[in-house]
């Protein structure tokens, strides 16, 4: 073994060590976030819930009944109340403010939450180091197979979450779900998807690897954060409807739902994340077509990866269009968003593992 090969092997070993270390610290962050939710104060949450209920009732009472002026046969007029039509209110018109957060206003819960963020930052730094050493070991972009893509995807997702926190956004409620997902992602990458450091097939030797795949990773990471917001929106929306109808239960599940942001806030967060990254996903597909022309002589051949990338684009385009259509706002649009993210996941896992095509670089 020559010196260069020995150095690359050492870099690969450092990468594996750092990734495993990051998993351990992510696990500590997960436990701290779990403690934040478990030990969050319920008494203060109950006060907040009562305030939200009173506020929603006040908003509903402030809406005057519609009236209509009717002309009588004798020429006079009479004003009568129009019959009230009961419809399902949308999340944006309930007048409900955000919950107090995972800590529930408890100092103990908040302490665990801040510890969880500290662990997450440390784990992310180790994660970045692992990806960087992987890049050094292969001397190229560290996303040439499913193992490398998965580890980089998790790194970008956590980085986007920490960036939102640094910008002062109230998104700490994502922490528990994010650390859980990253642990599963890295565990799957190390146990099932792992491949040793090796060079790429000739078709991938291009600067477009840096452009096309990096854009796909960033898009997927933001789509994931939006999917978490969408899923929680569905649960919170159901809870708010039960609260308005007097059917909300004062149990552990209700306690968790009370602490989440309002359904309107979760819906807005998911929409903004999807709308923000959709142009980048569009560019990802365009960049892939340009790369395909350079590598294979054709911009588009309906390869399974190309086809499912386009299906994912159509699904997200349908979601964004639904948000602008009155009859498809709210839960219907949320279902479309989850279907779109499901298409993205299938495009990554399903197509790479189970479907043979020109993009079969899974390495598993």
């Amino acid at each position: 073994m020559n010196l260069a090969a020995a150095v690359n092997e050492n870099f690969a070993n450092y990468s594996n060590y750092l990734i495993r270390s990051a998993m351990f610290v992510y696990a500590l962050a997960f436990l701290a976030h779990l403690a934040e939710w478990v030990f969050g104060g319920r008494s203060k949450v109950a006060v907040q819930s009562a305030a939200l209920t009173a506020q929603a009732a006040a908003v509903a009472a402030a809406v005057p009944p519609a009236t209509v002026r009717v002309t009588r046969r004798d020429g006079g007029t009479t004003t009568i109340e129009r019959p009230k039509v009961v419809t399902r209110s949308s999340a944006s018109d309930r007048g409900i403010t955000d919950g107090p957060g995972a800590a529930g206003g408890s100092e103990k819960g908040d302490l665990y939450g801040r510890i969880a963020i500290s662990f997450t930052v440390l784990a992310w730094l180790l994660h970045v180091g692992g990806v960087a050493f992987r890049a050094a070991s292969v001397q190229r972009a560290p996303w040439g197979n499913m193992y490398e893509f998965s580890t980089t995807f998790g790194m970008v997702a956590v980085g986007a979450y920490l960036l939102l926190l640094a910008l002062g956004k109230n998104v700490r409620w994502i922490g528990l779900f994010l650390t859980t997902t990253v642990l599963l992602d890295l565990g799957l990458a190390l146990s099932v998807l792992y491949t040793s450091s090796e060079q790429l097939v000739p078709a991938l030797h291009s600067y477009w690897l840096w452009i096309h795949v990096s854009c796909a990773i960033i898009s997927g990471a933001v789509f994931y954060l939006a999917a978490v917001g969408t899923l929680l929106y569905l649960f919170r929306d159901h809870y708010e409807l039960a609260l308005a109808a007097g059917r909300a239960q004062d149990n552990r599940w209700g306690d968790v739902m009370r602490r989440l942001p309002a359904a309107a806030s979760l819906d807005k967060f998911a929409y903004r994340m999807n709308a923000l990254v959709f142009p980048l996903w569009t560019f990802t597909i365009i960049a892939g077509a340009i790369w395909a022309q350079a590598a294979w002589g054709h911009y588009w051949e309906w390869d399974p990866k190309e086809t499912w990338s386009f299906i994912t684009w159509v699904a997200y385009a349908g979601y964004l269009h639904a948000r602008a259509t009155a009859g498809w706002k709210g839960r219907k649009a949320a279902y479309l968003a989850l279907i779109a993210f499901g298409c993205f996941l299938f495009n990554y896992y399903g197509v790479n593992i189970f479907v043979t095509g020109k993009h079969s670089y899974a390495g598993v």
Side-chain angles (χ1 to χ4, degrees):
M1 181 182 296
N2 56 38
L3 179 61
V7 171
N8 290 341
E9 184 177 356
N10 286 334
F11 283 156
N13 293 333
Y14 293 152
S15 173
N16 295 340
Y17 174 77
L18 287 173
I19 292 295
R20 287 181 168 83
S21 299
M23 285 187 65
F24 175 75
V25 183
Y26 277 131
L28 296 179
F30 164 78
L31 293 175
H33 272 301
L34 190 63
E36 178 187 17
W37 283 97
V38 171
F39 296 109
R42 297 193 63 191
S43 57
K44 294 184 179 181
V45 171
V47 173
Q48 174 76 3
S49 176
L52 297 183
T53 306
Q55 183 179 358
V59 171
V63 179
T67 60
V68 61
R69 188 176 296 276
V70 179
T71 303
R72 300 195 303 268
R73 291 184 179 180
D74 59 4
T77 60
T78 301
T79 300
I80 62 175
E81 291 187 1
R82 180 178 298 163
K84 183 179 180 180
V85 179
V86 179
T87 58
R88 183 176 181 272
S89 62
S90 65
S92 61
D93 60 13
R94 295 178 187 143
I96 296 180
T97 57
D98 294 341
S106 165
E107 292 184 3
K108 186 176 182 180
D110 183 64
L111 175 62
Y112 281 118
R114 288 186 280 113
I115 291 174
I117 296 301
S118 299
F119 278 136
T120 303
V121 172
L122 176 59
W124 182 73
L125 293 175
L126 293 170
H127 198 162
V128 171
V131 173
F133 273 111
R134 179 73 178 195
S137 70
V138 296
Q139 300 180 7
R140 55 168 172 77
W143 41 74
N145 50 55
M146 286 190 69
Y147 167 74
E148 296 171 355
F149 189 102
S150 296
T151 54
T152 308
F153 173 85
M155 180 194 73
V156 174
V158 177
Y161 166 68
L162 294 177
L163 177 62
L164 291 174
L165 288 176
L167 293 175
K169 304 300 181 182
N170 181 24
V171 293
R172 204 164 80 183
W173 46 270
I174 299 179
L176 177 62
F177 309 96
L178 178 63
T179 52
T180 303
T181 305
V182 171
L183 282 171
L184 292 173
D185 173 59
L186 294 181
L188 181 64
L190 288 171
S191 62
V192 178
L193 305 178
Y194 182 78
T195 56
S196 59
S197 302
E198 56 186 16
Q199 292 303 312
L200 301 175
V201 297
L204 295 184
H205 284 286
S206 171
Y207 60 88
W208 283 105
L209 176 66
W210 290 91
I211 301 173
H212 171 63
V213 184
S214 64
C215 290
I217 292 172
I218 295 172
S219 299
V222 179
F223 281 150
Y224 162 75
L225 295 179
V228 173
T230 300
L231 186 63
L232 293 180
Y233 157 75
L234 293 173
F235 287 116
R236 172 73 187 201
D237 183 62
H238 182 270
Y239 168 76
E240 288 182 5
L241 290 175
L243 186 66
R247 294 184 286 102
Q249 297 181 356
D250 186 20
N251 53 19
R252 176 57 65 180
W253 177 251
D255 180 40
V256 170
M257 288 295 104
R258 292 187 193 99
R259 287 187 258 174
L260 287 174
S265 298
L266 291 169
D267 186 42
K268 185 183 298 184
F269 169 81
Y271 169 70
R272 287 179 175 177
M273 291 292 100
N274 284 324
L276 174 68
V277 81
F278 180 73
L280 184 63
W281 180 248
T282 303
F283 174 75
T284 300
I285 297 176
I286 295 173
I290 297 174
W291 189 7
Q293 165 64 20
W296 303 317
H298 298 280
Y299 287 103
W300 197 269
E301 292 186 347
W302 295 103
D303 181 76
K305 177 70 68 174
E306 296 172 342
T307 302
W308 275 96
S309 295
F310 179 68
I311 291 174
T312 303
W313 184 92
V314 170
Y316 275 109
Y319 162 76
L320 295 176
H321 177 72
R323 291 290 309 228
T325 305
W328 280 85
K329 289 182 179 179
R331 298 182 70 87
K332 290 182 179 180
Y335 292 139
L336 282 178
L338 292 179
I339 291 173
F341 186 67
C343 292
F344 176 86
L345 290 179
F346 180 79
N347 186 32
Y348 175 51
Y349 288 105
V351 173
N352 281 352
I353 295 176
F354 302 111
V355 181
T356 302
K358 289 187 175 182
H359 289 77
S360 300
Y361 307 128
V364 295

